[in-house]
Amino acid sequence: MVEEPSNKRVKPLSRVTSLANLIPPVKATPLKRFSQTLQRSISFRSESRPDILAPRPWSRNAAPSSTKRRDSKLWSETFDVCVNQMLPSKEIKRQEAIFELSQGEEDLIEDLKLAKKAYHDPMLKLSIMTEQELNQIFGTLDSLIPLHEELLSQLRDARKPDGSTEHVGPILVGWLPCLSSYDSYCSNQVAAKALLDHKKQDHRVQDFLQRCLESPFSRKLDLWNFLDIPRSRLVKYPLLLREILRHTPNDNPDQQHLEEAINIIQGIVAEINTKTGESECRYYKERLLYLEEGQKDSLIDNSRVLCCHGELKNNRGVKLHVFLFQEVLVITRAVTHNEQLCYQLYRQPIPVKDLLLEDLQDGEVRLGGSLRGAFSNNERIKNFFRVSFKNGSQSQTHSLQANDTFNKQQWLNCIRQAKETVLCAAGQAGDLDSEGPFLNPATGSREPQGETKLEQMDQSDSESDCSMDTSEVSLDYERMEQTDSSCGNSRHVESNV
């Protein structure tokens, strides 16, 4: 998740990234993981390439520019201190929370206008991108500015001459429903991020964005940070409203309105979350390439939710991009097709209900190739898990390595939860232990029945050339916002709003 417009002092970043880039993928609803998914998205990695972040020739001898900072603003410091000292502590905290809501709207509007003025308009005028490309990348961003200007205007009108605000609940109840228009903007973000990363391969686009990044106005944030701010703001509203409600006395008429406002925004976020998840799932399904007709599977066609996806490495170090849909695991190779990043299927899709999952101990996997195995270090044999499938004459086994222990655990959790959901829906919940993987009492992990570990390792070495790198990360949106407030920036996590 990217940095929120807030009253927190912004800390300059040493490179174009965010905390989401440090968090591995976890299972969550699309809107909540959306930022992490998009910000880090291993599917679209052009922004992390060294040649993009390296200084341009024209900037090597340039003096370092000062970074524009946003000063922290508190209500008690902005208005008459003498008046504030006469108020109870709880009321001061309530006024601070209301002021933070208002200040956040002001910062958001400033950033959205900056994105258009400093990025969209110059790139169009200089023909760095076509109008059609810019419309795809920026989506309906222009239409969001008037919405937030309206809320800011109402909050300012409700402010008394002494700076205090008596009631905000009725304003929020009347204004929040307009945020339903966010669904088109958020649903477009996957395609927008893909196109932006593709265009970064154009040296003119790279140079322009690098110039902006090195300019004080950017606050060391790249274009995608600005484009993701609306989504990030949307999931912050429940937190802001709860904070105001927490400091609102029970006998204050605002309390009932604030509770209603919280229910409204939670419903809107849930609805947009569903639509965004469906859009994300549809986007990746459209970019699957099938080598043969037999690889097509109705379980893929019928999927409406993408649980998680990304890259992992197998025992041979080969990379494959893996998608875990509702009922099927799809292993692919990332390829370029018609100048688009696509995903070519590797082997047959694996139905989740028949998938066997095994948590492997560090050092248990043999690395492929005699030389690679002989000179391997400890890091190369850590964080592996195995997925396998057997149906008649068809069988697959893949030993897959995650980036770290936490990353691995998230993959295990995603797959287990997907399997449990599928079996429960089919009325086979008891089969999780009886027919599916069994629980290893030593490791606490589920392992396939009927095969020894040695047989599975040999099978994996000979059959699996796959590598998957998990890019989808998601935290509960409250945890993501807490990260924002404590660190001053956030990631995409992976991906949901």
Side-chain angles (χ1 to χ4, degrees):
M1 197 169 70
V2 301
E3 183 166 347
E4 299 284 357
S6 71
N7 62 357
K8 306 297 182 184
R9 185 179 295 278
V10 175
K11 181 179 179 180
L13 304 180
S14 59
R15 56 177 296 185
V16 187
T17 185
S18 63
L19 289 182
N21 293 339
L22 304 177
I23 309 174
V26 301
K27 181 179 184 295
T29 51
L31 280 180
K32 295 179 184 177
R33 71 167 181 251
F34 210 57
S35 173
Q36 290 86 349
T37 300
L38 294 177
Q39 183 63 31
R40 182 182 176 195
S41 185
I42 303 212
S43 322
F44 315 122
R45 285 199 148 183
S46 57
E47 77 269 29
S48 64
R49 288 168 43 186
D51 59 320
I52 293 177
L53 293 176
R56 301 293 168 219
W58 42 261
S59 67
R60 287 172 185 166
N61 299 322
S65 57
S66 58
T67 300
K68 180 181 178 182
R69 294 172 180 263
R70 272 195 178 135
D71 293 330
S72 298
K73 296 180 181 179
L74 298 176
W75 175 79
S76 56
E77 297 175 351
T78 304
F79 298 98
D80 194 331
V81 177
C82 294
V83 173
N84 295 342
Q85 291 175 344
M86 298 171 58
L87 296 174
S89 173
K90 186 170 184 176
E91 179 59 25
I92 292 178
K93 291 178 180 178
R94 182 172 184 271
Q95 294 300 324
E96 292 288 4
I98 295 174
F99 184 73
E100 181 180 359
L101 172 66
S102 176
Q103 189 61 41
E105 293 300 300
E106 185 175 333
D107 292 343
L108 172 63
I109 294 167
E110 178 184 325
D111 283 338
L112 297 185
K113 289 182 176 179
L114 177 63
K116 178 173 173 55
K117 181 178 180 180
Y119 292 93
H120 178 282
D121 294 350
M123 285 194 286
L124 180 61
K125 185 175 182 180
L126 298 173
S127 299
I128 294 176
M129 289 194 205
T130 67
E131 184 174 5
Q132 181 179 2
E133 290 170 337
L134 290 170
N135 288 341
Q136 174 71 71
I137 291 172
F138 283 79
T140 58
L141 182 140
D142 270 355
S143 67
L144 304 181
I145 297 175
L147 298 180
H148 295 279
E149 287 180 330
E150 173 62 23
L151 176 59
L152 181 60
S153 175
Q154 292 188 46
L155 291 175
R156 286 175 172 173
D157 291 343
R159 189 178 294 161
K160 295 180 179 180
D162 64 2
S164 64
T165 302
E166 189 171 356
H167 302 299
V168 293
I171 294 175
L172 293 167
V173 169
W175 177 81
L176 285 172
C178 72
L179 291 180
S180 296
S181 60
Y182 259 67
D183 59 358
S184 58
Y185 184 81
C186 294
S187 296
N188 177 64
Q189 282 195 294
V190 173
K193 184 66 165 62
L195 178 57
L196 177 60
D197 287 342
H198 174 70
K199 293 301 296 184
K200 285 181 180 180
Q201 298 175 22
D202 183 335
H203 72 91
R204 293 188 68 208
V205 175
Q206 290 180 20
D207 288 347
F208 177 84
L209 296 179
Q210 186 66 25
R211 287 175 184 269
C212 291
L213 183 64
E214 295 175 356
S215 300
F217 73 81
S218 73
R219 309 195 306 278
K220 297 298 183 183
L221 302 176
D222 69 356
L223 172 57
W224 185 251
N225 291 143
F226 286 101
L227 295 178
D228 194 46
I229 282 175
R231 177 215 57 77
S232 185
R233 180 67 176 175
L234 182 63
V235 298
K236 190 171 185 178
Y237 282 119
L239 299 175
L240 293 170
L241 301 192
R242 288 195 195 100
E243 184 65 13
I244 298 174
L245 178 61
R246 190 161 69 94
H247 300 296
T248 299
N250 295 334
D251 59 351
N252 190 316
D254 231 15
Q255 186 179 65
Q256 182 177 352
H257 290 109
L258 286 170
E259 291 175 347
E260 182 181 354
I262 291 173
N263 290 333
I264 291 174
I265 186 59
Q266 287 178 333
I268 290 174
V269 170
E271 178 66 20
I272 296 177
N273 181 58
T274 299
K275 293 182 179 179
T276 302
E278 292 175 353
S279 174
E280 179 188 21
C281 182
R282 183 167 56 251
Y283 174 86
Y284 285 113
K285 287 198 300 183
E286 291 172 352
R287 279 152 185 79
L288 294 178
L289 299 179
Y290 299 89
L291 292 176
E292 55 187 43
E293 193 69 20
Q295 289 181 324
K296 295 185 176 180
D297 194 315
S298 61
L299 293 178
I300 299 177
D301 297 335
N302 297 334
S303 293
R304 298 181 61 189
V305 174
L306 178 59
C307 300
C308 68
H309 74 94
E311 294 175 358
L312 297 168
K313 297 179 181 179
N314 79 329
N315 58 313
R316 297 173 184 269
V318 182
K319 292 184 177 181
L320 293 186
H321 201 102
V322 175
F323 297 89
L324 178 62
F325 293 98
Q326 290 164 287
E327 298 185 52
V328 61
L329 185 75
V330 182
I331 302 176
T332 72
R333 294 182 186 274
V335 297
T336 301
H337 179 68
N338 293 334
E339 296 188 352
Q340 282 190 334
L341 182 61
C342 296
Y343 305 92
Q344 187 179 80
L345 262 72
Y346 176 84
R347 302 290 187 90
Q348 298 296 117
I350 302 177
V352 169
K353 67 181 181 65
D354 299 321
L355 181 149
L356 301 179
L357 176 65
E358 182 181 2
D359 183 357
L360 302 178
Q361 295 295 302
D362 291 344
E364 189 173 340
V365 173
R366 238 183 8 220
L367 298 179
S370 57
L371 288 178
R372 296 178 66 179
F375 296 101
S376 64
N377 55 40
N378 291 334
E379 293 301 318
R380 294 190 54 214
I381 55 177
K382 290 182 177 181
N383 306 315
F384 272 91
F385 64 93
R386 179 176 293 125
V387 294
S388 57
F389 163 71
K390 188 170 184 179
N391 184 11
S393 61
Q394 295 184 6
S395 65
Q396 298 181 52
T397 300
H398 308 283
S399 295
L400 306 168
Q401 183 182 33
N403 294 332
D404 52 43
T405 303
F406 181 73
N407 188 309
K408 168 186 171 180
Q409 191 59 49
Q410 301 317 304
W411 269 105
L412 294 175
N413 291 342
C414 282
I415 296 173
R416 286 168 179 160
Q417 290 173 20
K419 185 174 178 70
E420 181 177 1
T421 300
V422 170
L423 293 180
C424 286
Q428 304 175 23
D431 294 346
L432 279 171
D433 293 316
S434 61
E435 296 180 8
F438 67 90
L439 191 64
N440 183 330
T443 65
S445 63
R446 297 185 182 276
E447 301 181 356
Q449 294 182 6
E451 289 186 282
T452 66
K453 291 185 178 181
L454 181 58
E455 290 171 340
Q456 292 172 335
M457 289 167 55
D458 291 341
Q459 194 174 11
S460 174
D461 290 342
S462 62
E463 293 183 8
S464 174
D465 275 339
C466 55
S467 129
M468 308 187 302
D469 204 21
T470 0
S471 62
E472 296 266 356
V473 181
S474 165
L475 298 172
D476 178 85
Y477 68 82
E478 294 190 21
R479 290 180 58 199
M480 293 195 293
E481 297 306 335
Q482 290 168 1
T483 301
D484 286 342
S485 62
S486 63
C487 302
N489 59 71
S490 72
R491 258 177 46 147
H492 201 177
V493 167
E494 292 132 94
S495 310
N496 287 242
V497 169

